[in-house]
Amino acid sequence: MNLLPTLTTVDVQQQAPRVAVLPVGSYEQHGSHLPLVMDIAIACVLVREIAAAYPVLPLSPVTIACSHEHGTWPGTVSISARTLHAVITDIAQSLEASGILKLVVVNGHGGNYVLSNVVQETNLTEPRMTLFPTPAEWTRAREHAGLATNSHDDMHAGEIETSILLHAEPDLVRPGYETADHAAPDRPFLLTHGTRAYTDTGVIGYPSHATAAKGKAVLTSLTHDFETHLHALGEPRPIDGRQ
């Protein structure tokens, strides 16, 4: 498993990237078949794919974020939304000191709601930051991969997350996902009561439908869609052949 970038400062100097990509995950329960680092792995895998396809600077991940809805499960660790806001802002400002003015935040955890606010505030006067993937891009990836589930019913530790790891990092998937499905389509007070009110296993979704082929197709779709974020930031189409 190699989810961290291994560039040297000389590599970055020679590449002279104009855009950095920052994986943001979480450290939280994902049932018995996926690790606590699941969302970190998802974000890092995405950044790994993006950096192989586009001339961007991959950054090391923010590994603990806003997982308060899972807060009573063993192993889950969170920071406040205020702290995450400050961390992302500080990273963007630090990048500016080295001449990189644009940042794509690659979010692997749906509960990191504050990231949307950070992006809005950063872009007040000019486009400097985007948040990837968008809900529409996740939906497109599901359709492209032929997933059996939708994003609402397959919310946590389900088909899409398990599929991505089965393709990209299969050693992180433990046995038992084939029988770990749990349906909880009606979750009106998830933010109030947390996930324990809707699942006894930590799973809300259908990991039994997961395959490595689906995971590969999801990543292919998302990597293709990433180019629109470069355009949104005013970057030209890549000319170095990495598409």
Side-chain angles (χ1 to χ4, degrees), residues 95-164:
L95 286 166
E96 289 179 17
S98 63
I100 299 176
L101 304 181
K102 299 175 183 180
L103 175 65
V104 179
V105 178
V106 178
N107 182 32
H109 172 53
N112 292 334
Y113 307 114
V114 71
L115 295 178
S116 296
N117 298 112
V118 177
V119 172
Q120 286 178 316
E121 293 168 15
T122 302
N123 295 324
L124 186 60
T125 58
E126 62 179 331
R128 299 279 291 272
M129 186 183 294
T130 69
L131 183 59
F132 177 82
T134 66
E137 287 161 346
W138 278 119
T139 297
R140 229 176 352 259
R142 283 180 176 273
E143 293 171 350
H144 176 76
L147 268 63
T149 59
N150 59 54
S151 59
H152 176 79
D153 294 342
D154 193 56
M155 186 196 85
H156 192 70
E159 180 182 17
I160 192 167
E161 291 188 315
T162 306
S163 291
I164 291 173

Side-chain angles (χ1 to χ4, degrees), residues 15-100:
Q15 180 183 347
R18 292 168 51 88
V19 178
V21 285
L22 174 67
V24 180
S26 64
Y27 196 78
E28 64 183 38
Q29 72 84 20
H30 276 80
S32 61
H33 65 282
L34 295 177
L36 294 164
V37 298
M38 175 69 218
D39 292 345
I40 305 167
I42 290 284
C44 287
V45 165
L46 275 172
V47 169
R48 186 172 66 188
E49 296 289 320
I50 290 165
Y54 303 97
V56 298
L57 173 64
L59 301 177
S60 58
V62 176
T63 58
I64 296 177
C66 301
S67 301
H68 303 90
E69 71 273 30
H70 303 282
T72 60
W73 296 84
T76 297
V77 182
S78 290
I79 58 177
S80 72
R82 297 180 299 278
T83 300
L84 182 57
H85 187 296
V87 168
I88 303 303
T89 301
D90 284 355
I91 290 171
Q93 291 176 349
S94 178
L95 286 166
E96 289 179 17
S98 63
I100 299 176

Side-chain angles (χ1 to χ4, degrees), residues 219-239:
L219 291 174
T220 297
S221 176
L222 292 174
T223 302
H224 177 269
D225 278 351
F226 180 82
E227 185 172 343
T228 65
H229 288 254
L230 296 178
H231 295 168
L233 292 171
E235 292 298 302
R237 182 180 294 274
I239 60 175

